[in-house]
Structures are given as structure tokens and as C-alpha cells.
Amino acid sequence: QVQLVESGGGLVQPGGSLSLSCAASGTIYSIYVMAWYRQAPGKQRELVAVVTSGGTINYADSVKGRFTVSRDNAKNTVYLQMNSLVPEDTAVYLCKANALSTNYVRKDYWGQGTQVTVSS
């Protein structure tokens, strides 16, 4: 099995910054895609940013220019630097990894999520 653990959420004022990280562990053979999603109360889960093992990156339009995703393949970790935060960024942020485990099963794995609240 593959486990994902997010960290770094919290409360921040509008205009502030937060940095999230998500570390994968367990019976990992290879991780292909790592991504950040978010889900606000009463809203559907939405993709925030995605990075492939080859370094291809895509962002949701709502976060372009404000958020930066990065990945350390050696550490099986993905990061999300969030700047110029606005109240609309308030949500639970979840990490997802598309990974191949050592028993050669490839599937999506999800973390438990970390709360980000942007409020004055």
C-alpha cells in the first residue's frame, strides 16, 4: 500500500502565504503523477495543480501566477507554495498520487487532506 501525508495547512490572512507538502511512503515502485486538489464546503473537489514524473506542470486558472507546485522525486514528495491567498482559496487541500506499488498495482492514492483557511 501507498500512504500520503499532507502537512502545512493553517490560518492565514488575505494576501499571505502558506506552503504545503505531501510525502508518499509505503510499497512504492514508481510514482507517475502527483497532484493537489481542494474541496471547499458545499463545492465539488477541484484540481489545483499537477506535476508529472517528467516535470510537466499544469495549474487551475484560478491559481495561476499565485501558486507554485514542485516535486522531489527522490523523496516522493510534492509541494505547493501558495502566495497572495484570498478567502476563495479556503478549502481542504488534498494530495493525490498515481503510483505503481511493488506488487505492480497502479492506482490513485489520496491523502487525508489539510485545512487552509484564508481570513482576516
Side-chain angles (χ1 to χ4, degrees):
Q1 282 289 350
V2 176
Q3 297 83 39
L4 301 179
V5 177
E6 302 102 335
S7 61
L11 173 65
V12 64
Q13 291 186 341
S17 299
L18 278 177
S19 181
L20 307 181
S21 64
C22 170
S25 62
T27 55
I28 300 169
Y29 185 82
S30 183
I31 299 178
Y32 301 99
V33 178
M34 299 191 82
W36 288 98
Y37 286 74
R38 66 186 180 186
Q39 187 161 20
K43 295 188 176 181
Q44 288 190 334
R45 187 172 294 183
E46 64 171 344
L47 177 65
V48 176
V50 58
V51 53
T52 70
S53 56
T56 299
I57 290 173
N58 280 292
Y59 296 98
D61 287 344
S62 58
V63 307
K64 282 181 181 176
R66 301 188 298 122
F67 290 11
T68 302
V69 65
S70 60
R71 176 173 172 171
D72 186 333
N73 290 330
K75 295 181 179 180
N76 290 329
T77 300
V78 63
Y79 306 93
L80 186 67
Q81 177 64 41
M82 304 183 293
N83 299 327
S84 302
L85 285 160
V86 297
E88 291 72 27
D89 294 318
T90 296
V92 174
Y93 283 70
L94 303 107
C95 174
K96 186 183 82 171
N98 182 262
L100 181 69
S101 61
T102 53
N103 61 354
Y104 299 104
V105 173
R106 181 174 177 175
K107 58 183 280 188
D108 289 337
Y109 297 90
W110 289 88
Q112 292 296 310
T114 185
Q115 177 70 45
V116 171
T117 302
V118 184
S119 175
S120 55

